[in-house]
Every structure is written in structure tokens, then in C-alpha cells.
Amino acid sequence: METFATKLWKNAPKAALLVAVAAGAMLQGCSNTKGSDATGATASALSSDAATQVYVKPGSHDELYSFLSGGFSGQVSVYGLPSGRLLRNIPVFSQHAENGYGYSEESKAMLNTSHGFVPWDDLHHPKLSRKDGMTDGRWLFVNGNNTPRVARIDLTTFETAEIIELPNSAGNHCSPYPTNNNEYVIAGTRFSVPLDMKGGTKDVSLADYADQFRGSISFIKVDPDKGDMDLDFQILVPGFDYDLANGGKGPSEDWVFFTTYNSEKAGTLKEVGASQNDKDYLAAVNWKLAAQYAREGKAREMPANYYHNKLDKATHTAKSTVKKKVRYLLAEECPGMMYLLPAPKSPHGIDVDPSGEYMVVSGKLASAIPVFSFSKFQNAIKNKQFDGEKNGIPVLKYESVLQAEVKEPGLGPLHTEFDGKGNAYTSMFVSSEVVKWKLSDFKVVDRIPVYYSIGHLMIPGGDTKKPHGKYLLAMNKITKDRYLPTGPELTQSAQLIDISGEKMKLLLDFPTIGEPHYAQAIQASIVAPKSVKIHKLDENRHPYVAKNEASTDVSRKGNVVHVKMTAIRSHLTPDNIEGVQVGDTVYFHVTNLEQDWDVPHGFAIMGANNAETLIMPGATQTLKWIPKKAGVFPFYCTDFCSALHQEMQGYMRVSPKGSNVPIAFYTGKKKPAVVAQK
């Protein structure tokens, strides 16, 4: 079916392209006019056949876990597919009042950076860990775009286990991309900055952008057993903007490819300044050669200041380490490590097909989608088919590496994934559609409208050697008229599409959290059997753990009071506390004594300036509280745990500063007062 937008594309002169892009939102808003819902792909989504395909009966599990970036929410949301049911929100870079992440004393350190405590970030790209080019279900790596960071989520607990800050980087968008066996997670900077080789960024005139600004690509080494990350080295690269990346497979597995824009090195009004050249670049980096150069002493060292935050599983507590140096390579000093391939201006996605032979580049302003050949790329290097250099990096001739161009795909190509059956699927932002084309002859064979302004799309395993190939998930930016109105702000939308047949078929709409930019999905059978159900109480090494009610305690040292408390259905121990004074710093260390799956307990106290904390079975979590006035303050369990949940409560008596009320605490029978420590 040829859409109105496609007809416009065929007939519009190239000079009118920017006008077409600017008009995209108008076209999308009109593409689903009133009365059209009963036709085409939308009607199929309402059919009983589509409903049957996405229905998961009560008590049954979904086939797939899908992990969607939360964008400006700083979180990862987990949905079951095909049902579209929200299973979990995983806080990563943002504080989360629901479970106390970033508020509790144990988790605060996860958000430490060289800029101070940063309780938010812009999370764009989840990537699953790999084994031999296939997802293995152990970890999920995600990027923090605003304050450059990479995090690792442990998929046995669905918790953030580690966050590492990236020095010499700004706008960590081109990130994080694991190599085929997690040897490295690789992250490129979006915004180039003026680097001071003595550490940090220089104070230079913004007019000196072209001469002073550089980008960086970080190589984060991953422990093959534990997943622990370590910044091994960086490559300092030309001062372009680095957008997205993907690694090779099979013959190309030693390489990682980066789209770049602003080859003009414009420092202002980039929508114009960075659109002057006919072509930008696809940067190809041989990561194995880069690692070899670093091992063999080619890397230099510079001062740095960045944080590495890691969760200790035994104590359930995050700790920060400050790193003070970083190794770096200069791209122009490492022959054979990096090449530039001319690509359509302002490219976004770079996607490598399952065979590892084809690299697909999506130019946002391009009238065709170029498909580069890895074997031609290698021959071009061998035969020195260069077209000059850029900042000391060889530039290959476009024709020497080009396999084919996909003609007239649509308006605004962004991202491509593959079904493992010889087909590629590209998202079209401006014309709001997904286009299917063949890797054999590079011709478009199908297209389906989506609602509206699709950014990324995802096929489960679509970036691996063997894609799952049954579903496609479209992640759309605009949803007007798809859901009930909720004021000026509407939710974003995901749409599940059946790609098992020759024609794509829309199955389901479901709303998403934040702004999803990218997603990954994996068979539930790989992840679910490894899921942790409880933390073993006898393995809890928290310094203030109380493994039974007899070991609970309240103690004072100066103006600091520590409360070792337990929670079990349906009471807190102790539930009556006296002797606290106005201005004291009180730490409630609450241990959940339950050893039964899905019985968390929460803890909150009136007047707290942070959040509740949610404690999983067998774990200990700490809430900090500073009383501002005298009185009696209730505390209670916030997570409904039993028929007598409402009775799971207690009182804290706060006396005036300097009062002689001794520390006393009890549950049920009152205990003798504890002598205050000096």
C-alpha cells in the first residue's frame, strides 16, 4: 500500500526535503483521520485474530521479556510480550520513591558522580549481554546520556548493580554496545568537548570549536563471570557528534561502527550548520586492534576524576570508588584502527545484519538507505581506495564500500533491525511507517503505518546472529488520538507488529513510561529460571542486620541514633521507641525476616524528607530521618503484606533537645532503658 507520505516523497524535489521533514508532524497528525479506524492495519489490530495472538490467559506467562529505555525518566521498564503488560520499573539513574532507590542509605552511592549527587539522567539504549553473538540473559547494559554514565542491571534480581562514570565525554548517546562475548562495552560521546590533557575540559572560546573540540570512545572491560566493569582505555577521535553504534558479527566481529554527524564541526545552530555537507561519516573502529595498541604501550595516560559505583550483594549496599586517571589512544597515531566511510548527511542508526556482511546506515535526511559491504570495505582498505583523510583518519571512497541503496523507502529513516529470514525493517520517522525490504535485492516489499512518529524499532534478537523474528515493536513519539486524553502531556506508545508472514500486521497498542528510545527483548525461558526469589537471611552481611527479633537494638552515639529493626508479618520490632531528641540523626536499619517469595515490607515515618524504603525478603535497608520538632511520630509498613497489615505500625517519641528522657524501646513488653553512650 502506497501512503500519501510516500507519494509525496517520490514527487518532492530534493530541495524541498527540509520542508517535508518540518511538515512531518502535520502529516502524522492527519494520517489517522476520523472514520478511518475501520480500515487497513488498524482494523486488523481490532480483529479477533489479533486479540488471540496477544492474549495471555490468567496465570500464564509471556513468551518474552522486553526492556524499554525510559528516556527522560532515567529508568528501564520491563514489559511482557506479546501481552504488553508492564511487569517492572527498574530505577537506574533516577531516584525512585516507590522502593527508595537513590533515597535509602544503601543505594545513594549509586548516583554519585564527579559533579556531585546526580539523581536523574536520560536513559536511551538498553543492550543485553552476549555470548557468541547471542543474548545470554545475564545483564542489561544501559547508558546515561546527560551525565555520561554506563550502568549494568543484574537480571537475576532486576536491580541496578553497577554504574561507571565516563570522563572526557559529554552526551553519552552513542552507548552502550557490547562486543559479541562482552569483552568490552563501548560508548561514544555525542557532544565533542575541548579536552585538557591534564584532566577535564578546557576553558576555550566557543568560536574555537573546529580546532579545539574532540570526541571520545570509551572501552569498558567486563568481567566474564561477575560482569564487573572497568574503564580500560579511551580513543580520542575527531570532534564530530557520535550518534549511534553497533558491533559486527561473524566476519566483522572485530569491528564496531559509529554514525557521526556534524562533520562540518559547526558550533552553533546545528540544524543548519551541521547539514551543509552532502555526506557525513560512518566511523569504523577495529576494537581488537585498539585493545592490542593499548596493551602494547601505545596508550598514554592523563589525570581524570570519575566515579565507579558498585552494589555489594552481601551487604545490599552500594559503594563509590573515585578513579583518578585514564588511558587514551589518539586515533591518528594508530594505523589500521579507524576508518571513515561517507554516509548520508545526519545519519542516525547503524545496524549490522545477522551475517555480519552488511552495514545499514539510516540518514535522517536521505532519499535512499545505503547498505555497505564489509568485504568491500576490507578490499577498499587493502587496495587503498581512499578519498583523502579527516583529522588523520583515512576516508574511503563511497562507491568502493557500497553494496546497494534501498530506493524510495519513505521519509526520515532512523533505525533498522532484521528477522533472520533475509528481511530488514526500517523505521520512518516523518512518514510514520515501518518499511520491510529484502537483503537479497534491496527492494521494498511491504510497509505498515504506525501511530505516530516512530523512532526506534525492535525485533527480539534483531541485532544478534539469530533473530527471534516473530514480532516487531514500534516505539512511537506521538500518540494523539490513540488513548484517552490526559491533559497536555500524553504517554508514548509502543505497537506490536506480527512479522511472521509476508505482510506485517498490527496486533497491539500499549502505552509506555518515559520516552522509549530503544529496546531489547529475550525469551523468558532464558531469564526466568535464574530469577532470585529471596535473599538468604543467613548470608546477609549488612553491618546493622538484625537476623532475629532478639538482636534488635536502639543505641545513641552523640546526636546519632541507630535503630536495628526487624519486619515480619505483621509487626515491626521495636514498635515503640523513646529517648530521641529534636535534631538527632536517626537511622532506621530495617531487616525483612521473611524467607518467602514476594513478601517485601516497607518502612516510612511521618515527616521524613526523603521516601519510604522497600525491603525485600532477607535484606536490610536504611532510612535516614531527622526530627524537626518534639512530639510522637507514627511509623508503619507501606507494603500490604497480610490481613493485619494496617496493624503493622509503631511510634517514635521525640523529646526537646537536651531532654533527659533515656533511650527505651520495645514491642509488646517494655524493656529496660539503655544507658546512653557519651
Side-chain angles (χ1 to χ4, degrees):
M1 181 181 72
E2 187 172 60
T3 65
F4 169 71
T6 309
K7 291 179 181 177
L8 175 65
W9 177 258
K10 288 183 177 181
N11 296 314
K14 290 185 178 180
L17 182 55
L18 288 175
V19 176
V21 171
M26 181 183 70
L27 291 175
Q28 295 142 16
C30 298
S31 62
N32 186 29
T33 56
K34 189 174 181 180
S36 65
D37 280 351
T39 61
T42 306
S44 73
L46 301 175
S47 70
S48 59
D49 178 54
T52 300
Q53 290 186 63
V54 301
Y55 178 69
V56 178
K57 66 181 181 181
S60 296
H61 291 173
D62 278 281
E63 180 183 356
L64 300 158
Y65 286 109
S66 64
F67 302 90
L68 275 66
S69 68
F72 43 67
S73 77
Q75 303 171 351
V76 170
S77 49
V78 186
Y79 295 85
L81 294 181
S83 74
R85 297 180 295 191
L86 176 62
L87 304 176
R88 181 79 186 275
N89 259 341
I90 306 173
V92 183
F93 300 115
S94 294
Q95 289 177 303
H96 194 49
E98 181 180 323
N99 64 5
Y101 178 84
Y103 292 101
S104 70
E105 296 304 297
E106 286 77 10
S107 61
K108 282 181 180 177
M110 292 300 285
L111 303 180
N112 287 336
T113 77
S114 62
H115 304 277
F117 181 78
V118 179
W120 169 85
D121 216 312
D122 186 16
L123 191 158
H124 276 225
H125 305 125
K127 280 283 187 175
L128 288 159
S129 56
R130 310 295 175 95
K131 182 177 181 181
D132 192 26
M134 298 295 294
T135 52
D136 61 14
R138 291 190 292 169
W139 310 303
L140 184 74
F141 301 100
V142 297
N143 68 317
N145 186 24
N146 183 62
T147 303
R149 291 174 278 183
V150 168
R152 177 175 60 88
I153 295 170
D154 184 343
L155 293 183
T156 64
T157 60
F158 283 60
E159 294 177 337
T160 302
E162 189 176 10
I163 298 178
I164 189 168
E165 188 181 6
L166 301 179
N168 302 324
S169 181
N172 174 44
H173 186 265
C174 192
S175 164
Y177 300 96
T179 54
N180 284 316
N181 286 289
N182 307 314
E183 297 94 341
Y184 285 99
V185 167
I186 300 173
T189 186
R190 175 182 173 187
F191 309 122
S192 290
V193 291
L195 296 179
D196 184 349
M197 308 314 283
K198 297 179 181 179
T201 60
K202 292 189 288 186
D203 175 15
V204 303
S205 169
L206 297 180
D208 294 334
Y209 184 104
D211 298 325
Q212 297 285 343
F213 286 52
R214 296 198 73 149
S216 67
I217 298 173
S218 299
F219 285 69
I220 303 167
K221 203 168 186 63
V222 180
D223 183 280
D225 299 317
K226 298 179 181 178
D228 292 348
M229 301 187 295
D230 181 62
L231 180 56
D232 190 11
F233 65 94
Q234 295 180 316
I235 302 175
L236 302 189
V237 290
F240 311 145
D241 292 65
Y242 295 77
D243 196 350
L244 287 174
N246 257 311
K249 309 172 187 69
S252 58
E253 67 179 8
D254 294 354
W255 293 80
V256 62
F257 306 95
F258 303 81
T259 53
T260 74
Y261 62 99
N262 194 27
S263 55
E264 300 86 349
K265 296 187 179 180
T268 184
L269 199 62
K270 290 193 177 184
E271 64 177 318
V272 175
S275 298
Q276 298 301 305
N277 295 341
D278 288 337
K279 296 261 193 310
D280 282 304
Y281 297 111
L282 177 68
V285 175
N286 187 321
W287 67 264
K288 278 196 174 177
L289 183 57
Q292 180 180 325
Y293 275 130
R295 285 195 307 271
E296 292 176 351
K298 193 77 171 178
R300 305 175 189 180
E301 191 172 277
M302 73 165 80
N305 182 38
Y306 64 98
Y307 275 69
H308 186 184
N309 311 319
K310 192 183 302 183
L311 183 69
D312 186 309
K313 287 186 176 182
T315 63
H316 307 285
T317 302
K319 295 181 180 179
S320 296
T321 304
V322 181
K323 302 294 184 73
K324 290 294 185 180
K325 60 185 179 181
V326 63
R327 298 192 302 159
Y328 69 94
L329 300 169
L330 294 175
E332 61 269 28
E333 294 182 354
C334 300
M337 183 180 72
M338 183 172 180
Y339 296 91
L340 299 175
L341 288 66
K345 67 170 65 178
S346 299
H348 186 60
I350 160 62
D351 302 284
V352 182
D353 85 306
S355 74
E357 171 62 17
Y358 295 132
M359 300 96 76
V360 181
V361 179
S362 298
K364 298 192 296 286
L365 304 180
S367 59
I369 301 173
V371 181
F372 295 127
S373 161
F374 181 75
S375 55
K376 287 189 174 184
F377 166 61
Q378 293 294 285
N379 287 332
I381 294 172
K382 181 179 178 181
N383 297 324
K384 297 184 178 180
Q385 294 175 312
F386 301 139
D387 190 11
E389 54 85 23
K390 192 81 170 178
N391 292 85
I393 312 301
V395 178
L396 294 162
K397 292 181 178 179
Y398 181 72
E399 296 77 12
S400 69
V401 294
L402 182 70
Q403 179 69 29
E405 290 181 338
V406 181
K407 302 293 187 182
E408 299 177 345
L411 294 169
L414 287 185
H415 179 60
T416 300
E417 292 222 334
F418 309 90
D419 64 5
K421 297 178 286 187
N423 301 306
Y425 301 76
T426 302
S427 57
M428 299 290 167
F429 178 80
V430 178
S431 51
S432 287
E433 58 185 334
V434 173
V435 174
K436 176 182 177 180
W437 50 275
K438 287 196 170 294
L439 288 163
S440 55
D441 59 10
F442 309 100
K443 292 183 178 179
V444 173
V445 294
D446 192 23
R447 59 179 76 237
I448 187 171
V450 292
Y451 305 97
Y452 307 95
S453 298
I454 180 175
H456 283 271
L457 48 73
M458 179 273 292
I459 293 172
D463 61 344
T464 68
K465 293 164 67 173
K466 296 179 181 179
H468 191 58
K470 183 176 180 181
Y471 302 112
L472 180 149
L473 191 70
M475 287 160 279
N476 308 324
K477 307 296 186 184
I478 297 173
T479 62
K480 54 187 176 184
D481 75 27
R482 301 303 289 179
Y483 306 117
L484 288 171
T486 53
E489 183 185 5
L490 299 176
T491 182
Q492 282 75 39
S493 171
Q495 292 184 300
L496 188 68
I497 297 170
D498 178 4
I499 59 170
S500 60
E502 290 187 13
K503 294 293 183 180
M504 293 179 281
K505 182 172 64 174
L506 182 60
L507 299 177
L508 180 69
D509 282 9
F510 60 91
T512 57
I513 292 172
E515 186 191 0
H517 291 262
Y518 185 55
Q520 294 267 269
I522 188 171
Q523 291 94 327
S525 59
I526 297 175
V527 176
K530 305 172 187 175
S531 186
V532 169
K533 293 179 172 61
I534 63 167
H535 299 290
K536 294 180 180 178
L537 189 60
D538 60 1
E539 295 178 359
N540 185 332
R541 300 291 180 265
H542 193 285
Y544 288 95
V545 62
K547 295 187 179 181
N548 51 57
E549 292 183 357
S551 60
T552 58
D553 186 31
V554 181
S555 61
R556 170 186 291 280
K557 188 171 185 180
N559 66 343
V560 176
V561 176
H562 289 278
V563 179
K564 288 173 61 176
M565 180 179 284
T566 60
I568 195 167
R569 288 167 287 185
S570 296
H571 62 271
L572 298 162
T573 302
D575 66 3
N576 275 249
I577 303 170
E578 298 181 86
V580 170
Q581 300 179 15
V582 172
D584 282 346
T585 299
V586 182
Y587 293 98
F588 293 95
H589 310 284
V590 186
T591 300
N592 183 346
L593 297 180
E594 308 283 356
Q595 292 290 267
D596 191 11
W597 189 23
D598 194 30
V599 189
H601 290 297
F603 180 83
I605 185 167
M606 185 174 126
N609 297 128
N610 37 36
E612 67 148 9
T613 186
L614 198 64
I615 310 106
M616 296 302 112
T620 303
Q621 290 287 291
T622 303
L623 183 71
K624 179 180 177 181
W625 180 65
I626 301 176
K628 304 294 193 301
K629 57 185 178 181
V632 174
F633 297 84
F635 53 79
Y636 65 103
C637 174
T638 54
D639 192 287
F640 205 100
C641 54
S642 70
L644 296 178
H645 165 73
Q646 290 294 88
E647 285 74 15
M648 195 168 174
Q649 62 188 56
Y651 293 99
M652 168 75 77
R653 176 187 173 190
V654 177
S655 300
K657 187 73 175 175
S659 170
N660 60 2
V661 177
I663 290 287
F665 61 95
Y666 55 92
T667 297
K669 187 176 180 181
K670 190 171 183 177
K671 295 184 178 181
V674 175
V675 177
Q677 299 180 22
K678 299 294 186 182

